[in-house]
Amino acid sequence: MFIYFHLFPLHFPFHVSPYAHSILHHLIYLLSRTMFFMCGFHWITIRGRRASSSEAPLLVVAPHSTFFDPIVTVVCDLPSVVSRVENLNIPVIGALLRFNQSIMVSRHDPASRKKVVEEVKRRATSNGEWPQVLFFPEGTNGNGEVLLKFKPGAFVAGVPVQPVLMRYPNKLPATIWTWKGNGVLKVLWLTMSQFYINLEIEFLPVYNPSPEEKADPVLYANNLQKFMAKAVGKPATEFELIGDTPVSPLGHLKVPLDPKIWEIGKILKKAGFSFDSVQGLIDLCLEGVCSRVGLDELAEKLGLTQTDVISRVFSYFHKDASGMIDFREVSLVLAAQDATRSAEELAKLAFDLFSTCDADGCFLLSADGFSAILRSLVGSPPAESGKVYSELCPREDRGLTRDGFMQFAISHPCYRHLFLFYLRPPASGRKKPSRVQQNGECVRKNNPEDKPKED
């Protein structure tokens, strides 16, 4: 492994002769196969026929369940891939990415994604002049029990693709590596502790998009996800990853699978914060005594002295231009931790905290107040909450009434699941089902975080 890295520590000179490039290609292929062999992949069962680049410029691989999945590139004769630019610094992997002239994307460069899309289109429409480009359209590792929502990046060119299925039919799911669970070292240890790892790779027939799919990459991605899910015998879900957070769609919202507000409760409880004082803090907010606070004021109000604890709590909340946070949001998050408070009581409190009284004496909730509620409880960005607010107030009324907000929180066919299920504290004993929006209704789906059961 280390020899491999030192052979190619820098960018490859792609101006070398075809003969020299062929030698390098075979050498890297051999070293890659040797590395995976040492990890326990002694043989690979291959089904179907891999299409040529002229037949299918793009290869689409799923389910993506482990960091061992790049072994599929060995089977596919080292195609180019789309990968994060940070992976160039990884021994072995970085060298392989450079050699394959892979397409690198930077999450920190706003223009990077546009450049990647343009490059994918250029290669996909080159009539076989470029090697095939391989995608993991889920964009992250799942548990292999479901297919995550496909990202549309692989489908913007509207060209035929070849679906590729990966299966690990082993007694123990040792290779599984998701955002939550076993770490990298433990997965490596569990995998290499077994004498061998079974792996099956199946090349499905080339998928030719319809005119509608060519014009709509999202439709193309969704249809191919369902097609591959049926072929592999796994459910197709709406779950996806935004940054490092797995989310599921709920109407116009993208809701994290795990509410982050529970982490705030765990941190405060561990630090010795007394939740008996929460109602007093809420009453102060309702009376308008406290509004925006800084780090030191937050520590004083919560009665905490641990700098690291108060910093973590403070970092969760939205800050204004002066670096202050809205203590009403803090009070609402603290109130949500109370398992004895009903969903209706929590919704009424949210309205009371963020509504304002107009000239006629009516209490109304503005778009900013509505956004603050969803931001503090769910982490929704203003753009998402703004769409929901516009849906609730389509005629640009003066604001959302108490009855209107309660209908949203308790009676809406989709969004009511936020308060009735999603925001119920773990201590309440309720099982929070993962739900997604489909055909206008919220339906229960398999949670990709759930680990597969051992036989």
Side-chain angles (χ1 to χ4, degrees):
M1 188 181 298
F2 292 102
I3 294 176
Y4 188 2
F5 175 61
H6 289 298
L7 278 173
F8 311 107
L10 302 175
H11 288 279
F12 283 100
F14 294 114
H15 58 273
V16 297
S17 67
Y19 177 74
H21 190 273
S22 177
I23 293 177
L24 290 175
H25 179 93
H26 286 87
L27 177 60
I28 291 180
Y29 181 93
L30 177 61
L31 290 172
S32 299
R33 187 66 189 93
T34 300
M35 179 187 71
F36 284 112
F37 183 90
M38 294 172 63
C39 291
F41 296 89
H42 298 165
W43 58 83
I44 302 171
T45 302
I46 301 175
R47 296 188 174 91
R49 179 188 69 86
R50 182 169 69 93
S52 65
S53 59
S54 58
E55 294 175 287
L58 307 178
L59 300 171
V60 177
V61 183
H64 187 18
S65 61
T66 175
F67 51 73
F68 289 113
D69 286 344
I71 194 174
V72 72
T73 62
V74 179
V75 176
C76 296
D77 200 27
L78 306 182
S80 299
V81 299
V82 177
S83 181
R84 294 183 301 169
V85 69
E86 293 86 353
N87 292 338
L88 290 173
N89 299 320
I90 301 176
V92 181
I93 300 298
L96 183 60
L97 292 172
R98 291 188 176 95
F99 178 77
N100 289 351
Q101 304 182 67
S102 296
I103 303 172
M104 310 309 297
V105 57
S106 173
R107 295 181 178 180
H108 306 293
D109 181 5
S112 178
R113 294 187 182 276
K114 183 178 179 180
K115 294 177 182 177
V116 168
V117 169
E118 293 174 351
E119 182 63 16
V120 169
K121 286 183 178 179
R122 186 173 73 89
R123 296 194 188 188
T125 56
S126 66
N127 295 321
E129 294 181 6
W130 278 89
Q132 289 172 306
V133 181
L134 185 145
F135 284 85
F136 291 101
E138 294 170 285
T140 187
N141 296 331
N143 67 356
E145 294 298 296
V146 299
L147 260 65
L148 304 178
K149 184 179 178 66
F150 282 10
K151 296 182 181 299
F155 310 97
V156 292
V159 298
V161 302
Q162 182 170 33
V164 183
L165 303 178
M166 297 192 72
R167 301 181 180 92
Y168 294 85
N170 300 287
K171 184 176 182 180
L172 299 176
T175 61
I176 300 300
W177 183 64
T178 60
W179 59 86
K180 188 174 182 179
N182 296 331
V184 175
L185 294 179
K186 187 172 183 179
V187 171
L188 283 171
W189 171 255
L190 292 174
T191 301
M192 299 182 70
S193 294
Q194 302 181 68
F195 181 70
Y196 65 89
I197 300 294
N198 289 315
L199 172 60
E200 297 177 357
I201 295 178
E202 181 179 0
F203 293 96
L204 298 178
V206 173
Y207 187 99
N208 291 284
S210 66
E212 293 78 14
E213 291 171 333
K214 290 180 180 179
D216 187 350
V218 175
L219 176 65
Y220 191 174
N222 291 341
N223 288 346
L224 187 65
Q225 181 209 26
K226 295 174 184 176
F227 173 79
M228 295 183 68
K230 183 177 180 180
V232 78
K234 306 290 184 181
T237 75
E238 290 289 322
F239 295 114
E240 60 180 307
L241 196 77
I242 296 182
D244 294 325
T245 304
V247 302
S248 63
L250 196 70
H252 294 299
L253 306 176
K254 292 187 176 180
V255 182
L257 297 189
D258 286 329
K260 292 186 177 181
I261 59 174
W262 308 143
E263 293 299 323
I264 300 297
K266 291 178 182 178
I267 293 171
L268 292 174
K269 185 176 181 180
K270 189 175 181 179
F273 173 74
S274 175
F275 283 89
D276 294 337
S277 62
V278 170
Q279 188 58 50
L281 297 173
I282 293 174
D283 291 339
L284 290 176
C285 287
L286 292 174
E287 295 170 3
V289 175
C290 58
S291 180
R292 298 196 170 275
V293 297
L295 185 65
D296 294 336
E297 293 172 288
L298 179 64
E300 181 181 353
K301 289 186 177 299
L302 298 183
L304 297 175
T305 58
Q306 301 95 319
T307 304
D308 58 331
V309 172
I310 201 65
S311 296
R312 290 178 64 185
V313 174
F314 190 80
S315 64
Y316 172 82
F317 297 96
H318 173 74
K319 300 167 189 62
D320 61 14
S322 60
M324 309 282 276
I325 65 174
D326 191 335
F327 195 75
R328 293 176 299 175
E329 295 187 26
V330 180
S331 299
L332 184 59
V333 169
L334 293 177
Q337 311 291 327
D338 184 2
T340 65
R341 192 185 300 268
S342 68
E344 186 174 0
E345 290 172 337
L346 182 64
K348 287 181 179 179
L349 174 62
F351 181 87
D352 291 340
L353 284 172
F354 291 92
S355 61
T356 56
C357 185
D358 66 1
D360 297 329
C362 297
F363 281 90
L364 300 171
L365 189 62
S366 67
D368 289 340
F370 184 79
S371 177
I373 292 173
L374 292 187
R375 180 178 61 217
S376 57
L377 292 177
V378 186
S380 301
E384 292 181 8
S385 57
K387 291 180 180 178
V388 179
Y389 188 84
S390 297
E391 180 183 306
L392 300 174
C393 297
R395 296 183 301 275
E396 297 184 359
D397 295 334
R398 294 178 298 168
L400 192 61
T401 64
R402 176 188 289 271
D403 290 341
F405 181 77
M406 294 305 295
Q407 183 178 13
F408 154 79
I410 306 300
S411 305
H412 194 282
C414 180
Y415 298 118
R416 68 189 181 94
H417 296 297
L418 285 175
F419 283 85
L420 294 180
F421 298 99
Y422 182 78
L423 291 172
R424 298 309 297 149
S428 68
R430 292 174 179 252
K431 182 179 180 181
K432 300 185 296 300
S434 297
R435 298 175 180 269
V436 298
Q437 175 98 5
Q438 188 179 60
N439 299 326
E441 295 182 352
C442 291
V443 295
R444 189 185 303 269
K445 289 287 185 179
N446 291 331
N447 190 333
E449 181 186 319
D450 294 337
K451 295 183 179 180
K453 297 180 180 179
E454 298 181 2
D455 293 338

Coordinates of all heavy atoms in Angstrom, one line a residue, residues 141-187:
N141 N -22.7 6.8 2.1 CA -22.9 5.4 2.5 C -24.2 5.3 3.2 O -24.4 6.0 4.2 CB -21.7 4.9 3.3 CG -20.4 4.9 2.6 OD1 -20.4 4.8 1.4 ND2 -19.3 5.1 3.3
G142 N -25.0 4.3 2.8 CA -26.2 3.9 3.5 C -25.9 2.5 4.2 O -24.7 2.1 4.2
N143 N -26.9 1.9 4.7 CA -26.7 0.6 5.4 C -26.9 -0.6 4.5 O -26.9 -1.7 4.9 CB -27.6 0.5 6.6 CG -29.1 0.4 6.3 OD1 -29.4 0.5 5.1 ND2 -29.9 0.2 7.2
G144 N -27.1 -0.3 3.2 CA -27.3 -1.4 2.2 C -28.7 -2.0 2.2 O -29.0 -2.8 1.4
E145 N -29.5 -1.6 3.2 CA -30.9 -2.1 3.3 C -31.9 -1.3 2.4 O -33.0 -1.8 2.2 CB -31.3 -2.2 4.7 CG -30.5 -3.1 5.6 CD -30.6 -4.6 5.1 OE1 -31.8 -5.1 5.1 OE2 -29.6 -5.1 4.6
V146 N -31.5 -0.1 2.1 CA -32.4 0.7 1.2 C -31.5 1.5 0.2 O -30.3 1.5 0.3 CB -33.1 1.8 2.1 CG1 -34.0 1.1 3.1 CG2 -32.2 2.7 2.8
L147 N -32.1 2.1 -0.8 CA -31.4 2.9 -1.7 C -31.8 4.4 -1.4 O -32.9 4.8 -1.4 CB -31.8 2.6 -3.2 CG -30.8 1.8 -3.9 CD1 -30.7 0.4 -3.3 CD2 -31.2 1.7 -5.4
L148 N -30.7 5.2 -1.0 CA -31.0 6.6 -0.8 C -31.4 7.3 -2.0 O -31.1 6.8 -3.1 CB -29.7 7.2 -0.1 CG -29.1 6.5 1.1 CD1 -27.9 7.3 1.6 CD2 -30.2 6.5 2.2
K149 N -31.9 8.5 -1.9 CA -32.3 9.3 -3.0 C -31.1 9.6 -3.9 O -30.0 10.0 -3.4 CB -32.9 10.6 -2.5 CG -33.5 11.5 -3.6 CD -34.1 12.8 -3.0 CE -34.6 13.7 -4.1 NZ -35.7 13.1 -4.8
F150 N -31.3 9.4 -5.2 CA -30.2 9.6 -6.2 C -30.1 11.1 -6.4 O -31.0 11.8 -6.6 CB -30.5 8.9 -7.5 CG -30.2 7.5 -7.5 CD1 -29.9 6.8 -6.3 CD2 -30.2 6.7 -8.7 CE1 -29.6 5.4 -6.3 CE2 -29.9 5.4 -8.7 CZ -29.7 4.7 -7.5
K151 N -28.8 11.6 -6.4 CA -28.6 13.0 -6.7 C -28.6 13.1 -8.3 O -28.1 12.2 -9.0 CB -27.2 13.5 -6.2 CG -27.2 13.4 -4.6 CD -25.9 13.9 -4.1 CE -25.9 13.9 -2.5 NZ -27.0 14.7 -1.9
P152 N -29.0 14.3 -8.8 CA -29.2 14.4 -10.3 C -27.9 14.6 -11.1 O -28.0 14.6 -12.3 CB -30.2 15.6 -10.4 CG -29.9 16.4 -9.2 CD -29.5 15.4 -8.1
G153 N -26.8 14.8 -10.4 CA -25.6 15.2 -11.1 C -25.1 14.2 -12.2 O -24.6 14.6 -13.2
A154 N -25.4 12.9 -12.0 CA -25.0 11.9 -13.0 C -25.9 11.9 -14.2 O -25.6 11.2 -15.2 CB -25.0 10.5 -12.3
F155 N -27.0 12.6 -14.1 CA -28.1 12.5 -15.2 C -28.3 13.8 -15.9 O -29.2 13.9 -16.7 CB -29.4 12.1 -14.5 CG -29.2 10.8 -13.6 CD1 -29.0 11.0 -12.2 CD2 -29.1 9.6 -14.2 CE1 -28.8 9.9 -11.4 CE2 -28.9 8.5 -13.4 CZ -28.7 8.6 -12.0
V156 N -27.4 14.8 -15.7 CA -27.6 16.1 -16.3 C -27.4 16.0 -17.8 O -28.0 16.8 -18.6 CB -26.7 17.2 -15.7 CG1 -27.2 17.5 -14.3 CG2 -25.3 16.7 -15.7
A157 N -26.5 15.1 -18.3 CA -26.2 15.0 -19.7 C -27.3 14.3 -20.5 O -27.4 14.4 -21.7 CB -24.9 14.2 -19.9
G158 N -28.2 13.6 -19.8 CA -29.3 12.9 -20.4 C -28.9 11.8 -21.4 O -29.6 11.5 -22.3
V159 N -27.8 11.2 -21.1 CA -27.3 10.1 -21.9 C -27.6 8.7 -21.3 O -27.9 8.7 -20.1 CB -25.7 10.2 -22.1 CG1 -25.4 11.5 -22.8 CG2 -25.0 10.1 -20.8
P160 N -27.5 7.6 -22.1 CA -27.7 6.3 -21.5 C -26.7 6.0 -20.4 O -25.5 6.4 -20.5 CB -27.6 5.4 -22.7 CG -27.8 6.2 -23.9 CD -27.3 7.6 -23.5
V161 N -27.1 5.3 -19.4 CA -26.2 4.9 -18.3 C -26.4 3.4 -18.1 O -27.4 2.8 -18.5 CB -26.5 5.6 -17.0 CG1 -26.4 7.1 -17.2 CG2 -27.9 5.2 -16.5
Q162 N -25.3 2.8 -17.5 CA -25.5 1.4 -17.2 C -25.5 1.2 -15.7 O -24.6 1.6 -14.9 CB -24.3 0.5 -17.7 CG -24.5 -1.0 -17.3 CD -23.4 -1.9 -18.0 OE1 -22.3 -1.5 -18.3 NE2 -23.9 -3.1 -18.4
P163 N -26.7 0.7 -15.1 CA -26.8 0.5 -13.7 C -25.9 -0.7 -13.3 O -25.9 -1.7 -14.0 CB -28.3 0.2 -13.5 CG -28.9 0.6 -14.8 CD -27.9 0.4 -15.8
V164 N -25.3 -0.5 -12.1 CA -24.4 -1.6 -11.6 C -24.8 -1.8 -10.1 O -24.8 -0.9 -9.3 CB -22.9 -1.2 -11.7 CG1 -22.0 -2.4 -11.2 CG2 -22.5 -0.8 -13.1
L165 N -25.1 -3.0 -9.8 CA -25.6 -3.4 -8.4 C -24.4 -4.0 -7.7 O -23.6 -4.8 -8.2 CB -26.7 -4.4 -8.5 CG -28.0 -3.9 -9.2 CD1 -29.0 -5.0 -9.2 CD2 -28.5 -2.6 -8.6
M166 N -24.3 -3.7 -6.4 CA -23.3 -4.3 -5.5 C -24.0 -5.0 -4.3 O -24.9 -4.4 -3.7 CB -22.3 -3.2 -5.0 CG -21.5 -2.6 -6.1 SD -20.1 -1.6 -5.4 CE -19.0 -2.9 -4.8
R167 N -23.6 -6.2 -4.1 CA -24.1 -7.0 -3.0 C -23.0 -7.6 -2.2 O -22.0 -8.0 -2.7 CB -25.1 -8.1 -3.5 CG -26.3 -7.6 -4.3 CD -27.1 -8.8 -4.7 NE -28.3 -8.5 -5.5 CZ -28.2 -8.5 -6.9 NH1 -27.1 -8.7 -7.5 NH2 -29.3 -8.1 -7.5
Y168 N -23.2 -7.6 -0.8 CA -22.2 -8.2 0.1 C -23.0 -9.4 0.8 O -23.4 -9.1 2.0 CB -21.6 -7.2 1.1 CG -20.8 -6.2 0.4 CD1 -21.3 -5.0 -0.1 CD2 -19.4 -6.3 0.4 CE1 -20.5 -4.1 -0.7 CE2 -18.6 -5.3 -0.2 CZ -19.2 -4.2 -0.7 OH -18.4 -3.3 -1.3
P169 N -23.2 -10.5 0.2 CA -24.0 -11.6 0.8 C -23.2 -12.3 1.9 O -22.8 -13.5 1.8 CB -24.3 -12.5 -0.3 CG -23.1 -12.3 -1.3 CD -22.7 -10.9 -1.1
N170 N -22.9 -11.7 3.0 CA -22.1 -12.2 4.1 C -23.0 -12.4 5.3 O -24.0 -11.7 5.5 CB -20.9 -11.4 4.4 CG -19.9 -11.2 3.2 OD1 -19.2 -12.1 2.9 ND2 -20.0 -10.0 2.6
K171 N -22.6 -13.3 6.2 CA -23.4 -13.6 7.4 C -23.4 -12.4 8.3 O -24.4 -12.0 8.9 CB -22.8 -14.8 8.1 CG -23.6 -15.2 9.3 CD -23.1 -16.5 10.0 CE -23.9 -16.9 11.2 NZ -23.5 -18.1 11.8
L172 N -22.2 -11.7 8.4 CA -22.1 -10.6 9.3 C -21.9 -9.3 8.4 O -21.1 -9.3 7.5 CB -20.9 -10.7 10.2 CG -20.9 -11.9 11.2 CD1 -19.7 -11.9 12.0 CD2 -22.1 -11.7 12.1
P173 N -22.6 -8.2 8.7 CA -22.5 -7.0 7.9 C -21.3 -6.2 8.4 O -21.4 -5.0 8.7 CB -23.8 -6.3 8.2 CG -24.1 -6.7 9.6 CD -23.6 -8.1 9.8
A174 N -20.1 -6.8 8.3 CA -18.9 -6.1 8.9 C -18.4 -5.0 8.0 O -17.8 -4.0 8.5 CB -17.8 -7.2 9.0
T175 N -18.7 -5.0 6.7 CA -18.2 -3.9 5.9 C -19.0 -2.6 5.9 O -18.5 -1.6 5.5 CB -18.2 -4.4 4.4 OG1 -19.6 -4.7 4.0 CG2 -17.4 -5.7 4.2
I176 N -20.2 -2.7 6.5 CA -21.1 -1.5 6.5 C -20.4 -0.3 7.2 O -20.0 -0.5 8.4 CB -22.4 -1.8 7.1 CG1 -23.1 -3.0 6.4 CG2 -23.3 -0.6 7.2 CD1 -23.4 -2.6 4.9
W177 N -20.4 0.8 6.6 CA -19.9 2.0 7.2 C -20.7 3.2 6.9 O -20.8 3.6 5.7 CB -18.4 2.2 6.7 CG -17.8 3.4 7.4 CD1 -17.5 3.5 8.7 CD2 -17.3 4.6 6.8 NE1 -16.9 4.7 9.0 CE2 -16.7 5.4 7.8 CE3 -17.3 5.1 5.5 CZ2 -16.2 6.7 7.5 CZ3 -16.8 6.4 5.2 CH2 -16.2 7.1 6.3
T178 N -21.5 3.7 7.9 CA -22.4 4.8 7.6 C -21.9 6.0 8.5 O -20.9 6.0 9.2 CB -23.8 4.5 8.0 OG1 -23.9 4.1 9.4 CG2 -24.3 3.3 7.1
W179 N -22.7 7.1 8.4 CA -22.4 8.3 9.2 C -22.5 8.1 10.7 O -22.1 8.9 11.5 CB -23.3 9.4 8.7 CG -24.8 9.1 9.0 CD1 -25.5 9.3 10.1 CD2 -25.7 8.6 8.0 NE1 -26.8 8.9 9.9 CE2 -26.9 8.4 8.7 CE3 -25.5 8.1 6.7 CZ2 -28.0 7.9 8.0 CZ3 -26.6 7.6 6.1 CH2 -27.9 7.5 6.7
K180 N -23.2 7.0 11.1 CA -23.4 6.8 12.5 C -23.2 5.3 12.8 O -23.9 4.5 12.2 CB -24.8 7.2 12.9 CG -25.1 7.2 14.4 CD -26.4 7.9 14.7 CE -26.7 7.9 16.2 NZ -28.0 8.5 16.5
G181 N -22.3 4.9 13.6 CA -22.1 3.5 13.9 C -20.6 3.3 14.0 O -19.8 4.1 14.6
N182 N -20.1 2.1 13.5 CA -18.7 1.8 13.6 C -17.8 2.8 12.9 O -18.2 3.2 11.8 CB -18.5 0.4 13.0 CG -19.2 -0.7 13.8 OD1 -19.4 -0.6 15.0 ND2 -19.6 -1.8 13.1
G183 N -16.7 3.1 13.4 CA -15.7 3.9 12.8 C -14.9 3.2 11.8 O -15.0 2.0 11.6
V184 N -14.0 3.9 11.1 CA -13.2 3.4 10.0 C -12.3 2.2 10.5 O -12.3 1.1 9.9 CB -12.3 4.5 9.3 CG1 -11.4 3.8 8.3 CG2 -13.2 5.5 8.7
L185 N -11.6 2.5 11.6 CA -10.7 1.4 12.1 C -11.5 0.2 12.5 O -11.0 -0.9 12.3 CB -9.9 2.0 13.3 CG -9.0 3.1 12.9 CD1 -8.2 3.6 14.2 CD2 -7.9 2.7 11.9
K186 N -12.6 0.3 13.1 CA -13.4 -0.8 13.6 C -13.9 -1.6 12.4 O -13.9 -2.9 12.3 CB -14.6 -0.4 14.5 CG -15.3 -1.6 15.1 CD -16.3 -1.2 16.1 CE -17.0 -2.4 16.7 NZ -18.0 -2.1 17.8
V187 N -14.4 -0.9 11.3 CA -14.8 -1.6 10.1 C -13.7 -2.4 9.5 O -13.8 -3.5 9.0 CB -15.4 -0.6 9.1 CG1 -15.7 -1.2 7.8 CG2 -16.7 0.0 9.7

